[in-house]
Amino acid sequence: MEIFMDEVVTGFRRRLALLPDGGDRRAIEDGIALLTSCLRDGMDEARFEMLLSMLRAGRSPAGLAVLKPDVIARELTRNWQEYQAAAAVTARN
């Protein structure tokens, strides 16, 4: 889980460098803050799935404001599915 979150944060930071000020930049900043908080808290897969569900519903986790939770949820869900698929392929080989 930690490797996944580190990779996503790194990707978000790369994208952040290319974005002008505005809503998209703020959403990416919020995503970085969210994942950094999750890393600090030692989030496991089950809690991460619950977080994705909350974000998809348009809600932010307690104590953390997220500008576009549904956008972050879509991005994280896509990344999570890709990560799980790659892990499954690696496990079969």
Side-chain angles (χ1 to χ4, degrees):
M1 191 81 216
E2 187 174 323
I3 293 168
F4 163 74
M5 288 188 189
D6 282 339
E7 289 175 0
V8 173
V9 167
T10 298
F12 278 1
R13 285 190 173 128
R14 277 190 215 115
R15 286 177 48 200
L16 190 62
L18 303 173
L19 292 173
D21 286 340
D24 290 339
R25 182 179 182 87
R26 168 76 194 287
I28 295 295
E29 290 170 339
D30 288 351
I32 292 169
L34 177 67
L35 290 177
T36 302
S37 175
C38 292
L39 280 168
R40 260 194 325 269
D41 294 342
M43 183 171 280
D44 62 10
E45 290 182 26
R47 287 179 51 212
F48 184 67
E49 293 286 346
M50 289 180 357
L51 173 66
L52 290 177
S53 177
M54 178 188 305
L55 292 170
R56 279 191 292 268
R59 297 188 323 268
S60 298
L64 191 62
V66 178
L67 178 63
K68 298 179 179 180
D70 55 326
V71 172
I72 296 297
R74 280 194 303 273
E75 181 81 17
L76 291 176
T77 299
R78 183 183 56 77
N79 286 311
W80 181 236
Q81 290 169 342
E82 290 172 2
Y83 180 81
Q84 288 179 312
V89 168
T90 301
R92 281 187 289 222
N93 294 327

